[in-house]
Amino acid sequence: MTQATSEQDLDGPVDPTAPPRTRGRRRGPRGTAIAVAAFALAAASVGTAAVLLPGDGDSGAESGRALPPATAEVLRQTLKDTKNVDAQLGYGTAQSMTGRLPGTLTLLPKSGAEITRGKALYALDNQPVVLLYGSLPAYRALAKGAEGLDVKQLEENLRALGYTGFTPDEEYTDATAKAVERWQGSLGLRKTGTVELGRIVFAPDAVRVAGLEAEPGQQTGPGQKVLSYTGTAKAVTAELDIADQRLAKQGTPVDVSLPDGVVVQGTISEVATASKPAEGQKKAETKIKAVVALADAKAREAVRAYDQAGVHVVFTADTRNDVLTVPVSALLALAEGGFGVEVVEGSTSRYVAVTTGLFAEGRVEVSGSGIAQGAKVGIPK
């Protein structure tokens, strides 16, 4: 925002030795206010702009010019870069579950059903496809001699379901195979000691069926969608414009306002980019999708009465505590470079250089030796 302006364009005391033409063209920074306001608004959308004027930037008191048409007080306050966004209370982002085995769908759960460890997600040819807990998706058949994290996940689940006689580790031993045979027998499966690919589905925790993508009696096969699911914990999903990406950072706390006016705290647990294709007259667009977890007991209790509901989320990108602020419109681009404000003192005023910080809520954080709480700054037209 530095202006390439000749010395005669600078405001301040007039050099009595300068030619009359120079004095006649004196311009104060007030004429640059519109450009500064535009810059400030742009800066507010991306965060902080730090600008430092060389020297003390104080042009001294001047009584020979008109004062600004309005003034505002320099405040000391907490400044927050926030945005209130419409959101949806539900169970978070749904994922599709695809089959890995061929067969006829003979059993499907109801939408909204919660399925826990060891229970059937659905059945193919009257044989269950079972949910187990684990972070690594099932990607291969498991049999004697196999090694890896998926083996350990299987063994941990077998132990949690009451099957013993082995040590949960990353090795699929004879003892593991015998435990698998006992587990298969309890499900009515053939006792092979081998877990075929597609017989189990690993998920981090219990799941809630969000919707069905197939029907009983339908033939299915590897790669075909069967159902969609979410976690069982209540969560809030919000969409943000790409320009507001700074607001959505995983682990950041947010405030959630419920339909009854109660405000609870949540934490951003997931951030993803979602593209929406063009539809009719609407152009394609990209959004930031943020999932907010309601982890504490107070929040969980507050949302218990709601299944699906519209809520509001207040995202906070940055906070400055106990700082001096002025309206963004008070900033002036000084010809020497950098920003300043016009401090009004009675019937006189002077320009003071400032360093800017956070832009938010129509105000900007400022600091400098010539600016103090309670001072009046000019607001140009």
Side-chain angles (χ1 to χ4, degrees), residues 86-97:
D86 291 338
Q88 183 69 31
L89 172 66
Y91 294 88
T93 304
Q95 303 180 55
S96 290
M97 183 174 294

Side-chain angles (χ1 to χ4, degrees), residues 115-119 130-136 149-150 152-157 160-161 200-207 232:
I115 300 171
T116 57
R117 185 199 325 254
K119 302 299 183 182
V130 180
L131 174 69
L132 299 180
Y133 296 167
S135 59
L136 180 65
L149 177 58
D150 52 349
K152 185 176 182 181
Q153 287 182 172
L154 171 65
E155 293 177 334
E156 288 174 339
N157 278 275
L161 292 170
I200 59 174
V201 174
F202 285 121
D205 210 328
V207 302
T232 59

Side-chain angles (χ1 to χ4, degrees), residues 20 52 89 122-124 142-143 158 183 186 202 238 255 275 298 305 337 343 345 368 379:
L52 183 64
L89 172 66
Y122 58 94
L124 283 174
L142 295 176
L158 290 172
W183 169 70
S186 71
F202 285 121
D255 290 330
S275 296
K298 178 182 177 182
V343 177
E345 299 166 329
I379 306 295

Side-chain angles (χ1 to χ4, degrees), residues 41-274:
L41 290 174
S45 69
V46 297
T48 301
V51 183
L52 183 64
L53 195 68
D56 61 15
D58 190 339
S59 62
E62 295 187 34
S63 58
R65 63 163 182 259
L67 295 177
T71 62
E73 186 175 346
V74 178
L75 301 180
R76 184 173 291 279
Q77 64 180 134
T78 295
L79 195 63
K80 292 185 177 183
D81 178 12
T82 64
K83 185 166 186 176
N84 192 322
V85 177
D86 291 338
Q88 183 69 31
L89 172 66
Y91 294 88
T93 304
Q95 303 180 55
S96 290
M97 183 174 294
T98 56
R100 305 297 295 270
L101 292 170
T104 301
L105 289 165
T106 54
L107 178 68
L108 285 169
K110 292 182 179 180
S111 182
E114 293 188 1
I115 300 171
T116 57
R117 185 199 325 254
K119 302 299 183 182
L121 289 159
Y122 58 94
L124 283 174
D125 298 335
N126 218 28
Q127 294 186 328
V129 172
V130 180
L131 174 69
L132 299 180
Y133 296 167
S135 59
L136 180 65
Y139 66 95
R140 60 175 176 168
L142 295 176
K144 285 189 291 184
E147 296 183 0
L149 177 58
D150 52 349
V151 174
K152 185 176 182 181
Q153 287 182 172
L154 171 65
E155 293 177 334
E156 288 174 339
N157 278 275
L158 290 172
R159 184 176 63 175
L161 292 170
Y163 299 93
T164 58
F166 58 90
T167 300
D169 53 23
E170 296 190 356
E171 295 183 8
Y172 200 116
T173 63
D174 286 337
T176 306
K178 290 179 180 179
V180 167
E181 288 179 7
R182 296 195 298 273
W183 169 70
Q184 288 172 326
S186 71
L187 297 174
L189 300 171
R190 193 161 60 93
K191 299 178 183 180
T192 64
T194 296
V195 181
E196 58 190 323
L197 178 61
R199 184 58 60 194
I200 59 174
V201 174
F202 285 121
D205 210 328
V207 302
R208 180 181 184 274
V209 178
L212 300 179
E213 301 187 34
E215 297 179 356
Q218 180 178 324
Q219 291 287 323
T220 187
Q224 292 187 331
K225 295 179 180 179
V226 177
L227 55 84
S228 60
Y229 68 97
T230 66
T232 59
K234 294 283 181 65
V236 173
T237 303
E239 285 190 349
L240 296 163
D241 294 331
I242 288 293
D244 294 320
Q245 190 168 7
R246 73 191 187 284
L247 297 168
K249 293 182 180 179
Q250 193 168 349
T252 301
V254 298
D255 290 330
V256 180
S257 180
L258 302 177
D260 58 5
V262 173
V263 176
V264 297
Q265 287 195 326
T267 303
I268 300 176
S269 60
E270 181 184 338
V271 179
T273 301

Side-chain angles (χ1 to χ4, degrees), residues 8 21 27 64 73 88 91 128 144 157 211 253 279 284 314 347:
Q8 64 260 34
R21 179 177 61 83
R27 292 188 297 159
E73 186 175 346
Q88 183 69 31
Y91 294 88
K144 285 189 291 184
N157 278 275
E279 184 177 347
V314 177
S347 60

